[in-house]
Amino acid sequence: MVSSASTDATGERNGALALRWFTTAGLPASGPAEWDAAYLTLDAPGSWEAMTVTRNGLPCPVTLRRLNGQVRTTVDWPRSGPGHYRLHVTVEGSRHTATVTVHARKLPPGGFDAMLDDLHVHLPADVAISLKRAGGLAGIQLSELKPATLQEELARLRRAVHGTPDRPGLAALLPVIARSPHEILQSSGVMVRRELLKRPRPAALVQALSRSSAHTGGHAPRFPDERVQPTVDVYENRVVRACAHLVLHRLRTLAQLAARDPRLGPPVHDLHVTLNSALRAASFLRDVRDLSGAPRRLTMVLLRRPEYRAALEILLELQRSLRVTLDDDRLLEPLGNTPSLYQTWGALHVIRALTDTCTEAGFTLRNERIAVPHPGTLLLRVLPDGQPILTFEHPRTGCTVTLASERTFRQSGAGWQSVSFSQRPDLVIELRGPGRPDELWILDPKYKLGSDDAPPESSGTPPSGNPNKTDIDKMHSYRDAIRDPAGRRGVTLAAILYPGQDHAYGPNIHAISARPGATDSLNARLRHLFATHLALPPSQAVTGHDSDAPVP
């Protein structure tokens, strides 16, 4: 599918800038396709020799080229990934700007939106439910992890901002609290000259006098004194800050989802504007630290001051509707981060499938570093630090399964090594247990296709559904290079997840089809592979509980 480029062009003096697109074969095109070279022709008043063009700040040479039977002012468009590209054209004193958008075409129709829906809504909740079933997320009820519809989330946030007939919302509460925020006197120690002492601490003063008796320098000794000043950084204001920032965070997440629903966009925008206005009135919250953990204690201020009590009630209500979300700033600019977001999307599917398979095989989750609880929100993070982020243990056999992201295998060191160059796969699963050799399973989500290896002259051809040769060669490298201290190969599964078709290269090298919008087949395929390597009956892994099925 060749995606078109949307162009927003404006001229400052001599009219608008007209852009026309051609393939490298000289044929007219609707716009630049992802990872295809193209020609961009510029129709602007003035001489082409005096024209300068930059793309995202980098200069682009301007030439004359005959295209479609006509000599045109042309800029070579390089092979580019998805994203927004800003063009600046200057000619004879006039400046023109244009924004060119390259869409993702390696995904099936609707696949980009399906991937964003997964990352925003479905996958975080599915992974959290799988972790809970495996024995993780202590203190969180399974019913709290059920994903809400967009309309339900909008209704909750509207109540939080505008209030209900029985309780005001943050739009009214924050300005009231800002007029008289709760504060306490906080003491701090300073060193002063003796004549400036006001509130010395006896114990500290004795120590200072002992030190000053041995003082031989020419400077007068200094003594510890106590100063007291008011501070708003107290527990009650941290509750208010947690409430306001939780609503703001959930509004931002909802705005990303509502961007594709014209019915939700305006009300979400209005709530966002209203809350930001109230936060500007409550500027004292900038001096308040984050609340550590859920609010678990009541104070007289929270009970007796109605505005503080209402803020606590809003926070508790939002906690009862726990929002599970992916903690990833790249979701704010999804088109420009498509390859890396695809890798995160694939990693979350691996985490979910591995967790479900191990749970059904009788393993128990012993440790996880994915979920980070915050008031009203459960943040999911895939930490690329090479350390285990999931650890499962079988209570009867003693077998352990660990999952790490971006684990490095070097030429030296204890344990697994690389016999050649350092290797750093995206996801590494290690299986250890008595009575069986240790194994490594390696999975790399890759936003690549075989057409990425093609030369630029093939511009305009549809993307190949086959894997990239370089990626498959890398799987062979992992299998052959990574060994234990005795020199034994330990990689029994090396696979890429990519937006193409399934391929198998022998018993342990695979290219797994991972297309947004077809996640059921991807989940079944991963669970089948994991069950096979865990020596489980394949049917047990594929026909286990779905994420939304009732738990016995």
Side-chain angles (χ1 to χ4, degrees):
M1 170 181 163
V2 178
S3 61
S4 62
S6 61
T7 307
D8 175 21
T10 58
E12 293 185 357
R13 292 187 182 177
N14 295 331
L17 172 68
L19 306 180
R20 292 182 176 85
W21 297 92
F22 293 84
T23 67
T24 53
L27 301 176
S30 58
E34 178 191 7
W35 210 242
D36 273 351
Y39 295 135
L40 169 63
T41 65
L42 310 172
D43 185 5
S47 170
W48 71 274
E49 295 175 311
M51 185 179 296
T52 60
V53 181
T54 62
R55 190 185 85 146
N56 288 356
L58 299 177
C60 301
V62 181
T63 60
L64 291 181
R65 188 184 300 271
R66 183 177 293 277
L67 296 171
N68 203 26
Q70 182 179 346
V71 177
R72 304 173 188 269
T73 303
T74 307
V75 169
D76 288 359
W77 184 268
R79 305 173 82 186
S80 306
H84 302 287
Y85 298 87
R86 193 70 170 169
L87 294 178
H88 290 277
V89 180
T90 303
V91 53
E92 295 185 353
S94 297
R95 294 187 71 252
H96 308 270
T97 62
T99 300
V100 178
T101 301
V102 178
H103 298 282
R105 70 165 182 162
K106 296 177 185 176
L107 303 178
F112 183 76
D113 289 341
M115 182 179 74
L116 292 185
D117 287 340
D118 279 349
L119 291 172
H120 277 295
V121 181
H122 306 297
L123 269 176
D126 289 344
V127 169
I129 290 172
S130 295
L131 293 176
K132 181 62 180 176
R133 286 174 173 162
L137 305 184
I140 296 177
Q141 300 298 320
L142 193 62
S143 59
E144 297 175 350
L145 300 175
K146 180 182 178 181
T149 66
L150 298 185
Q151 293 291 350
E152 289 173 342
E153 181 72 0
L154 177 61
R156 290 169 181 163
L157 297 179
R158 184 181 283 117
R159 290 196 301 270
V161 174
H162 291 303
T164 67
D166 302 323
R167 184 191 67 209
L170 291 173
L173 292 174
L174 291 178
V176 173
I177 296 175
R179 286 196 288 269
S180 180
H182 178 58
E183 60 184 21
I184 63 173
L185 295 178
Q186 186 178 56
S187 62
S188 59
V190 294
M191 302 297 292
V192 298
R193 298 194 304 272
R194 180 174 58 187
E195 61 270 19
L196 298 179
L197 283 172
K198 294 181 179 180
R199 301 181 59 183
R201 295 180 178 179
L205 186 58
V206 170
Q207 294 178 359
L209 288 172
S210 301
R211 290 194 298 268
S212 65
S213 62
H215 180 73
T216 57
H219 300 286
R222 292 182 176 268
F223 299 93
D225 200 8
E226 187 177 43
R227 295 289 187 266
V228 178
Q229 58 184 1
T231 177
V232 294
D233 185 17
V234 295
Y235 171 72
E236 292 82 359
N237 291 330
R238 292 173 193 170
V239 170
V240 176
R241 174 186 169 91
C243 179
H245 283 230
L246 172 60
V247 176
L248 188 62
H249 174 77
R250 288 170 71 156
L251 274 174
R252 288 171 177 167
T253 302
L254 188 60
Q256 293 292 319
L257 300 172
R260 300 187 296 278
D261 189 339
R263 298 170 300 174
L264 292 178
V268 172
H269 175 75
D270 292 343
L271 289 177
H272 202 277
V273 171
T274 301
L275 181 58
N276 276 328
S277 176
L279 282 171
R280 285 194 294 270
S283 58
F284 76 95
L285 291 177
R286 299 170 187 166
D287 300 324
V288 178
R289 289 176 292 173
D290 290 332
L291 181 67
S292 58
R296 301 190 182 278
R297 60 187 176 94
L298 291 175
T299 66
M300 298 306 296
V301 173
L302 292 175
L303 289 173
R304 292 186 175 181
R305 291 189 60 170
E307 62 274 22
Y308 276 94
R309 184 172 64 251
L312 175 62
E313 291 175 355
I314 293 173
L315 179 57
L316 293 176
E317 178 182 327
L318 291 174
Q319 280 189 295
R320 288 191 292 270
S321 59
L322 187 66
R323 178 76 178 179
V324 186
T325 184
L326 183 64
D327 185 22
D328 196 327
D329 291 338
R330 294 172 298 180
L331 285 171
L332 299 176
E333 300 237 353
L335 191 60
N337 294 292
T338 300
S340 57
L341 286 178
Y342 179 85
Q343 291 182 356
T344 300
W345 176 86
L348 289 175
H349 274 288
V350 170
I351 290 170
R352 176 193 173 192
L354 179 66
T355 302
D356 290 341
T357 305
C358 287
T359 300
E360 293 171 4
F363 285 77
T364 301
L365 182 63
R366 295 302 185 194
N367 184 46
E368 61 89 6
R369 298 170 56 237
I370 296 176
V372 182
H374 283 266
T377 304
L378 186 68
L379 298 178
L380 296 188
R381 301 169 178 168
V382 182
L383 301 173
D385 56 5
Q387 300 300 313
I389 58 178
L390 287 178
T391 301
F392 300 91
E393 183 179 358
H394 199 287
R396 182 173 54 84
T397 65
C399 289
T400 61
V401 176
T402 60
L403 170 67
S405 177
E406 298 194 18
R407 178 178 173 181
T408 302
F409 299 89
R410 297 182 173 86
Q411 287 182 278
S412 59
W416 297 102
Q417 304 172 5
S418 172
V419 297
S420 56
F421 301 99
S422 293
Q423 309 290 340
R424 193 176 185 180
D426 289 343
L427 298 171
V428 178
I429 301 170
E430 183 173 7
L431 175 63
R432 304 173 63 94
R436 62 182 298 170
D438 297 344
E439 297 180 21
L440 293 178
W441 312 337
I442 290 176
L443 295 104
D444 275 8
K446 297 296 184 185
Y447 183 72
K448 295 180 182 179
L449 291 172
S451 56
D452 290 349
D453 291 326
E457 285 73 15
S458 64
S459 174
T461 59
S464 166
N466 296 321
N468 185 290
K469 180 180 181 300
T470 304
D471 293 335
I472 298 301
D473 289 345
K474 192 64 176 176
M475 297 303 105
H476 285 282
S477 298
Y478 291 151
R479 184 194 62 183
D480 297 335
I482 299 175
R483 307 193 180 194
D484 66 10
R488 180 186 65 87
R489 294 188 202 174
V491 177
T492 59
L493 171 64
I496 65 168
L497 279 66
Y498 82 117
Q501 301 171 352
D502 277 326
H503 288 274
Y505 302 89
N508 52 14
I509 303 291
H510 298 269
I512 301 173
S513 176
R515 293 173 172 171
T519 56
D520 288 343
S521 59
L522 171 61
N523 188 49
R525 175 76 167 130
L526 289 172
R527 291 169 70 173
H528 175 85
L529 278 175
F530 295 152
T532 300
H533 286 265
L534 279 173
L536 290 176
S539 59
Q540 181 180 351
V542 177
T543 60
H545 298 299
D546 291 331
S547 62
D548 56 353
V551 180

